[in-house]
Amino acid sequence: MSGNYEDIKTRLRGSIAPVVTPFKKNHDVDYEKLSELIEFQLENGSHAISVTGTSGEPSSLTVEEREKVMETTIKTVNGRVPVAPGTGSTNHAETLRLTKSAQEMGADAALVIVPYYNKPNQEALFKHFKTVADSVDIPIIVYNIPGRTAQNLEVKTLARLNEACPNIVGVKESNKDFEHVNRVLLNCGRDFLLYSGIELLCYPMLAIGGAGSISATANVLPGKIARLHDAWFEGDVETAQSLHYELMPLNDVLFKDTNPAPVKAALGMMGKIEPELRLPMDVPSRALQDEIRETLKQYGVTAQYA
């Protein structure tokens, strides 16, 4: 691929909200609620939208459902901000299909996760991502989340991909190893787009030259997450720091069970969705739901029993 990706690299900065996939009580995907959630994000200043990433429960969706979620999102956003859906899978052919579908539907970029469960070696990861990148013209953001995939994409492998594939423009690092994320920009260049997928590292990653974050907390308080990024890029370090610490209690409680169960519980309490998940995922314990409710009240959010 030999396209010019500078424009989208400029636009894909700030808070990329990873919107959950809402289900009805019968566990069908609720596409109407999905559109409402996206409007909620846009009204509150989110800089871009992602769906069918970790927060969107992609492993609980069929390929056809994932494609319809992407299509609904792109139509709802209608060009107002960039859309970067998650198109990765543990299956290589599915990843190719979904990434090509995202391009055909008009997505601005694709977020492609390290294949989970398989634990491919570094050479296999290089071949996987290069094949995906070579199959499309849209920018690719690699998604490294070793806690879920059981495999870490090493910096040297990412640097090889960056050199070999002009449309691999960035990485979402859900990696608590802050040394690792520093070395990403050292080895891939300061113009490589580095996004935090760890909530407590959203602000620190901006400080080392990051492009933004893809934070599940943006589902609940999108305005504050967007404002943190706006403040940083405006040079208002004090406000960005203050929001970083202000958000910590919410970030903590939303990850006391597996994402997106606590996030969906919070959105249910806010009256945004039915807090349904598909098995093998399930709702948080009643004790954690009570804690989420009390935490939301600290932020002035009226939380009811879902």
Side-chain angles (χ1 to χ4, degrees), residues 13 19 38 46 94 119 125 128 139 166 179-180 192 209-211 256 279 282 292 297:
R13 294 178 179 271
V19 179
I38 291 165
S46 292
E94 282 184 8
K119 294 186 70 174
L125 287 172
H128 171 72
E179 271 192 42
H180 172 101
F192 196 65
K256 288 191 174 183
L279 292 172
D282 201 4
I292 292 167
K297 290 178 182 177

Side-chain angles (χ1 to χ4, degrees), residues 74-94:
I74 291 165
K75 286 182 176 178
T76 301
V77 172
N78 194 27
R80 288 177 284 177
V81 297
V83 176
T87 60
S89 166
T90 191
N91 181 288
H92 180 72
E94 282 184 8

